[in-house]
């Protein structure tokens, strides 16, 4: 009996995770557009899952900042305004420049630079694929930058913003968003880190984030 319960728990978790991935991709690809109300009966039928499992996935998406609650708790795809996007990128700049400074101070800087260059190669490989793959490769680079610094609180802070970051990418549409994913822009960050100049790395990342926000909202 205990083994059966455990297997059912794993099955439920799997369904929740599959629903979470499907909904997240639908939101970040624009299939579920900002402001759209999320009707539980409709979504549970589309995903062929129970409403309870759907609610679990939606709660996670709400924590990630992809879904927001309106009057009477009605959920909808989150819609960001220009100020929110500028604020998000300002915080990203602060977090990622701190990660770069920490990374520069470490004796393993050269190894970390190699890992970041490998992440840029992954971004280049994603160029020939779809928009969703390019988003993931771009986020993987910035997430890696934060993780390489070794500050777990910083990583947690960045990851708590990830849903909002994804929504900001969708704000102005794929064309503008892809401008921010240029390979050369990311090489500049790695080159600054490799130089060992913390002030240069900080300014390069701040400029990167400021330019990215302007591209999306201006």
């Amino acid at each position: 009996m205990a083994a059966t319960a455990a297997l059912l728990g794993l099955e439920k978790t799997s369904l929740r995770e599959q629903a979470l991935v499907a909904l997240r991709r639908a939101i970040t690809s624009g299939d579920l557009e900002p402001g759209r109300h999320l009707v539980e009966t409709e979504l549970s039928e589309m995903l062929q899952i129970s409403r309870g499992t759907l609610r679990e996935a939606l709660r996670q998406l709400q924590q990630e900042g992809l879904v927001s609650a309106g009057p009477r708790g009605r959920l909808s795809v989150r819609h960001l305004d220009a100020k929110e996007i500028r604020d998000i990128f300002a915080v990203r700049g602060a977090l990622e420049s701190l990660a770069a400074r920490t990374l520069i101070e470490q004796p393993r800087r050269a190894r970390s630079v190699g890992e970041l260059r490998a992440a840029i190669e992954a971004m280049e490989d994603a160029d020939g694929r779809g928009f969703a793959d390019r988003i993931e490769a771009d986020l993987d680079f910035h997430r890696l930058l934060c993780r390489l610094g070794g500050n777990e609180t910083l990583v947690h802070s960045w990851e708590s913003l990830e849903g909002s970051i994804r929504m900001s990418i969708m704000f102005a549409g794929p064309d503008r968003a892809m401008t921010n994913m240029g390979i050369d822009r990311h090489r500049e960050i790695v080159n600054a880190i490799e130089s060992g100049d913390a002030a240069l790395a900080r300014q390069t990342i701040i400029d990167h984030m400021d330019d990215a926000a302007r591209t999306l909202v201006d």
Side-chain angles (χ1 to χ4, degrees):
M1 181 70 75
T4 302
L7 289 173
L8 288 172
L10 287 173
E11 181 182 4
K12 182 179 178 181
T13 300
S14 176
L15 282 174
R16 174 188 173 278
E17 290 302 318
Q18 290 177 53
L20 187 57
V21 169
L23 288 166
R24 188 187 289 126
R25 182 173 287 268
I27 291 170
T28 56
S29 68
D31 287 342
L32 291 174
E33 66 278 7
R36 176 166 172 175
H37 294 301
L38 300 174
V39 181
E40 287 187 3
T41 52
E42 176 185 314
L43 290 174
S44 61
E45 288 175 8
M46 289 172 60
L47 294 167
Q48 297 185 339
I49 57 175
S50 71
R51 292 175 67 177
T53 301
L54 174 66
R55 287 191 193 108
E56 292 176 11
L58 290 174
R59 276 196 294 270
Q60 177 62 36
L61 293 174
Q62 193 172 0
Q63 291 176 3
E64 293 178 8
L66 294 175
V67 169
S68 59
R72 291 180 290 182
R74 189 176 184 186
L75 296 179
S76 61
V77 178
R78 186 178 174 196
H79 183 275
L80 298 174
D81 60 30
K83 181 184 182 302
E84 286 176 303
I85 290 175
R86 292 191 187 97
D87 289 347
I88 290 164
F89 278 85
V91 173
R92 285 187 67 187
L95 290 172
E96 295 188 30
S97 59
L98 174 58
R101 189 191 75 188
T102 306
L103 195 160
I104 285 171
E105 293 170 351
Q106 293 177 347
R108 67 186 297 275
R109 183 175 78 236
R111 179 179 173 183
S112 295
V113 165
E115 292 182 51
L116 288 169
R117 293 203 185 282
I120 289 178
E121 289 179 8
M123 290 178 67
E124 289 181 297
D125 291 342
D127 271 352
R129 300 198 293 272
F131 181 49
D133 288 336
R134 294 187 67 174
I135 291 174
E136 296 309 316
D138 179 81
L139 291 176
D140 285 347
F141 171 88
H142 291 279
R143 189 185 299 106
L144 176 64
L145 170 59
C146 291
R147 286 178 176 168
L148 288 172
N151 184 327
E152 292 301 321
T153 300
L154 188 155
V155 173
H156 177 74
S157 297
W158 190 94
E159 289 181 340
S160 72
L161 283 175
E162 188 169 343
S164 297
I165 293 169
R166 291 176 182 275
M167 293 307 300
S168 68
I169 290 171
M170 295 306 302
F171 179 85
D175 291 340
R176 287 197 189 185
M178 284 191 287
T179 299
N180 289 336
M181 300 176 197
I183 301 301
D184 289 342
R185 290 164 52 82
H186 291 77
R187 284 204 181 102
E188 288 175 1
I189 293 173
V190 180
N191 290 341
I193 292 170
E194 186 174 36
S195 76
D197 187 334
L200 174 62
R202 177 185 181 280
Q203 195 58 54
T204 301
I205 291 171
I206 295 296
D207 290 346
H208 178 98
M209 294 302 169
D210 287 346
D211 289 344
R214 278 194 296 270
T215 298
L216 294 175
V217 304
D218 291 349

